[in-house]
Amino acid sequence: MPFPKNLPLEAVFASIADGLFTVDADWNVTYFNEAAQRITGISEEDALGRKCWAVFRSSLCDGQCALKACVRQGGRIVNKSIFIVRSDGTTLPVSISASPLKDKAGNVVGGVETFRDLTDIHVARQQAKDIYRFENIVGRSQALEKIFRILPQISRSEATTLLLGKSGTGKELFARAIHSLSPRKDGPFVAVNCGALPDTLLESELFGYKAGAFTDARTDKPGRFELAHGGTVFLDEIGDMPQNLQVKLLRFLQEKTFEPLGGVAPVHADVRVVAATNRDLEEAVAEGTFRQDLFYRLNVVTLTLPPLTERQEDLPLLIDHYLAEFNSSRNKAILGVSEDALHVLMRHDFPGNVRELENILEYAFILCPDGFIQVEHLPEYLHPAEKCLDAPDGLSGTMDAIKRRAARLAVRRNNGKRMAACRELGITKDTLRRLLAEPEAGE
């Protein structure tokens, strides 16, 4: 059916649900439809003839105007997430699309932009975060749902549990969930990283020592098993435990007793053990680096945690979860991740799993002043057009390294003006000076 020729275009524009406005070559608003008035709370009379940035006060009006980029470059922007400030001062999340406005001769005479209120979507996402949360584990993927279904039964048992999964999959988070769902929830939860301590120190940390056991042992010191009496001990990176300690751990699992360094009498501890590793323990047993009898003792109940690539549908929920935590702890108001930045994250394979996602978001959170995190706020190795051959596969390094990189980038963006960089990052000049002075090795 052909479009009615006698139907005024203004009548069509007025009837659509999305806000729509046009500007001339000097950025004065020349058209403002009914939906635009309803969404912004600004009347057509107040909008017409004013500069567009005076009407909208959006998160892109500080030099990153999407409409200006379209007009100058002749391109289009579709579904970019930003926020605007309504006439009553409230902040409103919207999705915008923009393109240049041309006359019949093809000359650019201004620009046109449409925008859609995302408030309902944001409310739904907030409600979804509560629905898809299980003991502080966020997700709704089938891979996680299978674990969620059996986790309460596993937790109520006293069985030694082995958590398997790649680095960064959240093994300690699952160990804490097992503890909090168990009858031992009122007892202590004690975590030990078996790969982070030298052999001699690890033994004294786990089993404690008696006065006189070695030169500086002037008083008795209880070990982690004794401190966790009535609760749970989480042994992370169990595959890195030296073999001499594997023997002592095996005895504890069999008899619930151990001997502190320098001790002559066994000590009893009522402790449940949850262990975790990213290594293939069966392969380690075959190589002779891990005791077979200990492997079978640990392997009573096994949970294999899925990598982030197998639970991509959880990515938006995890993003909202981490941004809410960062906003709460740092008194900031980042509204979320823009559509184009989300597309970049959805295409990434996350070799560092959930831990890498958290580091990426914290990096972007530092760089983003307010509103929505855009692609330019993500680490450089994620930028689609800027990936380098020598770029790392994941966001490596500590958060201190990430903050140092963020500080250097902020100074570069502000043309070497350090106070401007401080204002952007929300830090003091002393903090910036320290970050810039620290070495870059290992980053």
Side-chain angles (χ1 to χ4, degrees):
M1 182 177 180
F3 188 84
K5 294 183 178 180
N6 61 344
L7 184 63
L9 282 178
E10 285 197 12
V12 177
F13 295 154
S15 65
I16 63 176
D18 290 354
L20 182 148
F21 73 96
T22 60
V23 296
D24 59 21
D26 294 322
W27 312 108
N28 299 307
V29 176
T30 55
Y31 179 76
F32 206 68
N33 76 343
E34 291 181 11
Q37 298 174 58
R38 183 185 69 254
I39 294 171
T40 63
I42 298 172
S43 68
E44 181 183 35
E45 181 180 11
D46 289 337
L48 294 180
R50 295 175 64 192
K51 301 295 184 185
C52 57
W53 57 79
V55 175
F56 286 96
R57 295 181 289 164
S58 83
S59 56
L60 296 183
C61 288
D62 58 354
Q64 304 176 43
C65 177
L67 190 56
K68 185 178 291 186
C70 291
V71 171
R72 289 182 174 174
Q73 300 169 14
R76 298 175 64 227
I77 288 179
V78 178
N79 294 330
K80 188 177 184 69
S81 298
I82 66 169
F83 75 90
I84 61 174
V85 180
R86 285 174 45 88
S87 60
D88 60 5
T90 58
T91 299
L92 192 72
V94 297
S95 173
I96 65 168
S97 298
S99 62
L101 192 62
K102 301 179 180 180
D103 60 17
K104 292 183 179 180
N107 301 311
V108 176
V109 295
V112 58
E113 183 173 308
T114 62
F115 55 99
R116 178 172 299 175
D117 186 357
L118 298 180
T119 302
D120 290 343
I121 295 175
H122 277 254
V123 171
R125 288 173 73 178
Q126 184 65 41
Q127 293 171 342
K129 284 191 291 186
D130 296 330
I131 296 172
Y132 298 113
R133 183 187 299 271
F134 184 86
E135 289 294 320
N136 289 325
I137 304 168
V138 176
R140 61 182 175 188
S141 60
Q142 288 187 353
L144 277 190
E145 284 182 358
K146 291 178 182 177
I147 297 176
F148 290 166
R149 283 198 297 269
I150 62 175
L151 202 59
Q153 295 96 305
I154 292 172
S155 302
R156 287 193 292 269
S157 75
E158 285 292 305
T160 302
T161 304
L162 181 61
L163 303 177
L164 303 177
K166 295 181 179 180
S167 179
T169 48
K171 292 185 283 291
E172 182 169 345
L173 196 60
F174 279 85
R176 289 184 180 275
I178 290 171
H179 172 73
S180 64
L181 290 169
S182 75
R184 298 174 175 270
K185 62 183 179 181
D186 295 327
F189 177 89
V190 178
V192 184
N193 189 324
C194 301
L197 297 170
D199 297 1
T200 52
L201 184 56
L202 179 60
E203 183 173 5
S204 65
E205 282 294 313
L206 289 176
F207 303 108
Y209 56 78
K210 293 293 184 179
F214 48 86
T215 304
D216 294 326
R218 296 183 175 86
T219 59
D220 293 354
K221 179 188 174 183
R224 301 295 180 90
F225 282 109
E226 191 171 350
L227 293 173
H229 183 76
T232 304
V233 166
F234 172 54
L235 299 177
D236 199 7
E237 304 300 344
I238 190 71
D240 295 332
M241 178 176 281
Q243 286 197 317
N244 64 309
L245 291 187
Q246 292 178 27
V247 176
K248 294 192 73 169
L249 176 60
L250 177 63
R251 180 188 175 188
F252 175 77
L253 292 175
Q254 291 173 332
E255 303 175 8
K256 295 295 183 181
T257 61
F258 61 91
E259 289 183 9
L261 283 172
V264 293
V267 176
H268 174 78
D270 175 22
V271 172
R272 180 184 185 175
V273 172
V274 177
T277 183
N278 57 12
R279 294 184 58 190
D280 185 336
L281 289 187
E282 290 189 71
E283 183 178 317
V285 168
E287 293 172 350
T289 58
F290 200 84
R291 293 181 62 95
Q292 187 178 50
D293 46 6
L294 177 58
F295 171 68
Y296 288 127
R297 276 287 177 181
L298 293 171
N299 200 29
V300 177
V301 175
T302 301
L303 288 178
T304 301
L305 308 186
L308 195 51
T309 51
E310 294 180 9
R311 42 180 298 215
Q312 275 215 323
E313 59 266 51
D314 292 337
L315 201 58
L317 294 171
L318 288 165
I319 290 170
D320 288 344
H321 168 73
Y322 283 122
L323 291 183
E325 284 193 343
F326 296 153
N327 279 329
S328 176
S329 63
R330 302 180 191 187
N331 195 27
K332 213 169 177 180
I334 300 300
L335 296 178
V337 171
S338 67
E339 296 298 323
D340 45 357
L342 180 59
H343 290 159
V344 171
L345 293 173
M346 293 294 287
R347 288 194 297 267
H348 184 53
D349 57 4
F350 289 100
N353 291 294
V354 179
R355 185 182 297 122
E356 182 188 0
L357 173 64
E358 182 180 7
N359 283 356
I360 287 172
L361 293 173
E362 186 159 6
Y363 178 94
F365 187 89
I366 292 169
L367 296 189
C368 182
D370 51 28
F372 289 90
I373 289 172
Q374 308 293 341
V375 173
E376 57 265 27
H377 299 134
L378 299 176
E380 291 181 12
Y381 75 90
L382 290 175
H383 293 187
E386 300 175 13
K387 285 191 175 182
C388 305
L389 291 177
D390 59 348
D393 290 332
L395 189 58
S396 60
T398 63
M399 278 313 305
D400 285 340
I402 293 170
K403 290 174 183 177
R404 289 196 294 273
R405 286 198 290 272
R408 292 194 296 273
L409 289 171
V411 171
R412 193 182 310 163
R413 278 194 306 276
N414 288 280
N415 300 316
K417 297 177 181 178
R418 295 195 172 193
M419 287 308 299
C422 288
R423 286 192 293 271
E424 177 184 320
L425 297 174
I427 60 177
T428 66
K429 60 181 181 180
D430 290 336
T431 300
L432 180 66
R433 188 183 302 113
R434 176 180 59 78
L435 291 173
L436 295 175
E438 288 177 350
E440 300 182 21
E443 295 182 26

